């Protein structure tokens, strides 16, 4: 969508495409949080369950 000067102002998407895009962004965010959790562990190994716990805590802090 554009304004009267032809500047792009908005995008119209089918809801299915929008939902898919949001899902993919959430997946990318989870990957970023996982990478941060691995990097923050200063060499110590953590279980996948612990990594997901850290991810969830960080995700809740963002919302």
């Amino acid at each position: 969508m554009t304004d009267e000067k032809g500047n792009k102002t908005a995008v119209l998407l089918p809801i299915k495409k929008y939902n898919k895009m949001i899902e993919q962004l959430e997946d990318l965010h989870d990957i970023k949080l996982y990478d941060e959790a691995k990097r923050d562990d200063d060499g110590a190994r953590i279980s996948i369950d612990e990594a997901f716990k850290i991810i969830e805590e960080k995700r809740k802090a963002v919302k």
Side-chain angles (χ1 to χ4, degrees), residues 1-11:
M1 303 183 102
T2 58
D3 63 14
E4 62 280 349
K5 294 180 182 179
N7 298 314
K8 295 177 183 177
T9 59
V11 176

Side-chain angles (χ1 to χ4, degrees), residues 1 7 21 35 43 46-47 55:
M1 303 183 102
N7 298 314
M21 183 179 67
D35 289 344
I46 60 174
S47 71
I55 288 169

Side-chain angles (χ1 to χ4, degrees), residues 33-55 57-58:
L33 291 175
Y34 177 77
D35 289 344
E36 287 176 11
K38 283 182 61 176
R39 188 173 40 252
D40 291 345
D41 73 4
D42 53 3
R45 298 286 176 209
I46 60 174
S47 71
I48 192 71
D49 291 332
E50 184 64 24
F52 283 130
K53 180 180 175 187
I54 293 167
I55 288 169
E57 288 171 1
K58 288 186 178 186

